[in-house]
Amino acid sequence: MATEQKAERLKRRLRGGLKAPHLAAFLPATMIIAYWYGGEQVMILIAILLPGLLAVGGVLTRPALPRSQKIDPATGLPQRSRLLEHLNLGFEPHADCERSCLVVKVDDIDKLTRQLGTDGMERVLRTVADRLRTALRETDLICSLDPGRFGLSIDRRQRVDLEATLQLAARLQSAVGEPVSLDQTRVLLSSCVGFALPNRAPDPTGEALLAAAESALAEAIRSGPGSIRAFSNGMAPRVGQADHTRDTLLRALDEGQILPWFQPQICTRTGRVTGCEALARWQHPTMGLIAPGAFLPAITKAGLLGRLGEVILYGALSALRDWDRDGVDIPALAINVSGDELNNPALSEKIRWELDRFDIHPGRLVIEILETVVAQPDDDVAIHNVRSLAALGCKIDLDDFGTGNASIASIARFDVHRIKIDRSFVTHVDTDKDQRNMISAILTIANQLGVGTVAEGVETHAEHSTLATLGCDHAQGYAIAKPMPATAFPAWVVTHEQKRAADRTIPKLA
């Protein structure tokens, strides 16, 4: 292997010499010398042979193609092993240039796959891959790491700097964010980017540089959709889903490592806090905060969604009881109930018992169910649970509205309290006319049916303002607040209400 690497380095140097601009300056001199010493016939012979020799040299010094290179069937891109080879070359003693590593991940890839299907998602990813490739130079490399996750090796002739890489990351996000047309449907995407500069790599290897970039990506994902993060030495190492065994997950659930965090929902007209949603978060004792996307699929695969639901329900109702004791007014608390939980015949009785246990009125508990649940009329157990919970007094929110196949009649039949407008419709609503038209249509349907609306995934103040103008009732997202632990939530509510009160007392200019 070492011999092959030395041979490749020698070939690159020879090729560089053959392609050097100053070589062209010697060609006229060579012709003159040939004519001077050998006459016209020698000059013609040199003129014929020399280009041929240069061409043969170019062929012989052409970089060897990687052997047994694996290709991702969805995007046609090479995979992780090729990326590592390319990054490793940047750490060689006589490397032509440094190489930085970026990892780009399409946000909400699992949800998009459910909405578009496997074939549709592959078509979208092929488009994204083509756009990313177009945004790069010929010397750069893009590879597929996982579905919706791309690894990039970027050549730098000058010393790599942070600002240039940030600008490149922003350009890549813009390329991903362009609407994708799919069977008369416009798909709007966002992405997170993590990157590592070669001088920041823990070790001078391609594996270490890629691991650093993936750690930065994990931090970006934790920060929210559309985030960019650079690797720093204090970041936790990357965590793969393969590390989350069933025993590890059970221990995390039993020991209180996985707990509900809370994201506020506010009224778009008044700014008042109208409730919050409980979201699962894993605070690992050594790895730190692990993003939901890194452990929820493992929990699903391990068949632990029911146990997770019990942990979140208990933690959420405990928090609500404590907030009541502290005098913090949170009118409603929403929890997500999976399809697996809804198929448990004892679910409605279990929730009734927990509400009695914590002495919380059922009307304050919001049950969020996916639109796909009410789109399946033959699922008797799930339908029974939804109707029983509604009869108990719990409010029913229809989650991810617009991405499934629920009929308008189903909304009325299940006594839906609110519909949650999916983030895919909220993204760019302030700048995209088609998005605004779609939101307006959803709001009109909700108004005609007499149900409330909540927009989720509101990431900017401009999106928030536009939704309020269009008439959406409630909003939730990073533009308002990120999810936070139960202990931090009351302080945020108090600060928010104080600011809201102060804003009301500021006199308006005529």
Side-chain angles (χ1 to χ4, degrees):
M1 187 68 179
T3 304
E4 291 179 3
Q5 291 178 346
K6 289 179 180 179
E8 283 298 316
R9 283 199 295 269
L10 179 59
K11 287 167 63 175
R12 285 200 301 273
R13 291 181 186 176
L14 291 173
R15 187 174 180 82
L18 292 173
K19 294 171 65 179
H22 60 260
L23 184 62
F26 288 98
L27 294 178
T30 304
M31 295 296 102
I32 292 172
I33 293 171
Y35 181 78
W36 184 267
Y37 286 102
E40 185 177 350
Q41 291 181 341
V42 173
M43 184 186 71
I44 294 174
L45 183 63
I46 294 295
I48 294 173
L49 291 178
L50 188 59
L53 290 173
L54 291 175
V56 171
V59 172
L60 293 177
T61 59
R62 183 180 299 162
L65 294 174
R67 291 172 296 181
S68 64
Q69 178 176 301
K70 294 182 179 179
I71 298 297
D72 175 49
T75 61
L77 296 175
Q79 296 184 313
R80 182 180 293 263
S81 59
R82 178 69 184 107
L83 180 63
L84 293 175
E85 290 176 11
H86 203 262
L87 292 172
N88 275 324
L89 293 175
F91 289 105
E92 291 185 356
H94 302 289
D96 297 332
C97 61
E98 291 182 310
R99 283 176 178 152
S100 55
C101 181
L102 293 87
V103 183
V104 180
K105 181 183 182 300
V106 177
D107 294 325
D108 298 327
I109 188 71
D110 293 333
K111 182 188 290 186
L112 286 168
T113 303
R114 290 197 302 270
Q115 296 171 10
L116 305 175
T118 302
D119 292 342
M121 196 66 234
E122 286 186 355
R123 290 166 59 189
V124 169
L125 291 180
R126 278 195 296 272
T127 301
V128 171
D130 291 341
R131 291 176 179 175
L132 291 175
R133 191 179 310 146
T134 302
L136 302 177
R137 301 164 303 183
E138 289 185 2
T139 55
D140 300 327
L141 176 70
I142 175 172
C143 297
S144 175
L145 302 180
D146 286 310
R149 185 185 295 240
F150 304 91
L152 290 76
S153 173
I154 307 299
D155 285 2
R156 294 292 186 185
R157 295 292 170 180
Q158 298 84 23
R159 186 171 181 81
V160 181
D161 62 80
L162 179 64
E163 184 61 30
T165 310
L166 284 171
Q167 291 175 3
L168 173 60
R171 289 201 305 273
L172 296 173
Q173 284 187 325
S174 296
V176 174
E178 289 293 320
V180 179
S181 296
L182 183 68
D183 298 333
Q184 309 302 318
T185 300
R186 295 170 73 256
V187 182
L188 286 173
L189 307 173
S190 64
S191 60
C192 286
V193 181
F195 67 86
L197 304 181
N199 60 342
R200 288 285 187 176
D203 297 300
T205 65
E207 177 66 37
L209 185 60
L210 176 56
E214 290 187 318
S215 296
L217 176 66
E219 186 70 23
I221 293 171
R222 282 193 288 269
S223 299
S227 297
I228 300 174
R229 290 295 183 271
F231 176 76
S232 62
N233 293 331
M235 285 186 179
R238 66 183 177 194
V239 180
Q241 290 183 14
D243 296 327
H244 306 323
T245 64
R246 192 175 194 278
D247 289 342
T248 301
L249 294 168
L250 268 175
R251 186 162 55 252
L253 289 165
D254 293 341
E255 294 179 356
Q257 298 176 25
I258 298 178
L259 291 171
W261 283 30
F262 301 90
Q263 187 172 40
Q265 299 170 340
I266 66 171
C267 174
T268 57
R269 293 183 295 275
T270 65
R272 183 176 65 89
V273 176
T274 55
C276 63
E277 180 181 1
L279 301 165
R281 292 295 184 268
W282 185 357
Q283 187 68 49
H284 196 280
T286 59
M287 299 175 184
L289 188 64
I290 300 177
F295 71 87
L296 288 181
I299 282 184
T300 303
K301 186 176 180 181
L304 294 174
L305 282 174
R307 177 65 182 132
L308 175 65
E310 293 174 353
V311 168
I312 298 303
L313 178 63
Y314 178 86
L317 295 180
S318 298
L320 189 58
R321 177 196 58 193
D322 294 341
W323 297 336
D324 287 345
R325 290 175 179 174
D326 295 338
V328 180
D329 181 24
I330 307 298
L333 169 68
I335 61 169
N336 292 276
V337 178
S338 67
D340 285 358
E341 292 176 274
L342 284 170
N343 284 321
N344 178 4
L347 176 68
S348 57
E349 282 303 315
K350 182 190 300 183
I351 291 178
R352 180 200 299 269
W353 188 87
E354 291 289 353
L355 289 168
D356 288 342
R357 175 185 182 184
F358 288 97
D359 193 23
I360 292 174
H361 190 276
R364 298 179 67 191
L365 183 64
V366 179
I367 307 296
E368 291 192 6
I369 59 174
L370 291 173
E371 185 181 1
T372 51
V373 172
V374 298
Q376 298 174 0
D378 297 331
D379 198 340
D380 294 337
V381 176
I383 292 172
H384 167 76
N385 275 319
V386 173
R387 288 177 172 167
S388 297
L389 290 168
L392 179 62
C394 296
K395 294 181 172 63
I396 307 298
D397 276 8
L398 197 58
D399 201 6
D400 293 351
F401 183 79
T403 64
N405 300 303
S407 66
I408 294 175
S410 297
I411 297 175
R413 183 159 55 96
F414 285 95
D415 196 20
V416 171
H417 171 237
R418 297 183 304 187
I419 56 178
K420 293 195 75 175
I421 303 173
D422 187 70
R423 177 178 173 272
S424 61
F425 298 113
V426 173
T427 301
H428 305 315
V429 69
D430 55 314
T431 58
D432 191 307
K433 181 180 178 181
D434 290 334
Q435 291 289 86
R436 286 195 297 276
N437 291 339
M438 184 65 70
I439 293 285
S440 295
I442 293 173
L443 294 175
T444 299
I445 292 173
N447 184 58
Q448 292 296 319
L449 294 175
V451 299
T453 51
V454 186
E456 61 180 344
V458 182
E459 308 299 341
T460 68
H461 294 293
E463 290 175 353
H464 184 194
S465 177
T466 303
L467 288 165
T469 302
L470 292 174
C472 184
D473 299 323
H474 307 271
Q476 169 185 349
Y478 280 25
I480 299 160
K482 296 180 180 181
M484 62 195 83
T487 53
F489 193 73
W492 182 90
V493 172
V494 170
T495 301
H496 175 81
E497 290 300 320
Q498 289 174 346
K499 183 178 182 299
R500 191 171 70 92
D503 291 343
R504 288 202 307 269
T505 61
I506 298 176
K508 305 292 183 182
L509 295 176

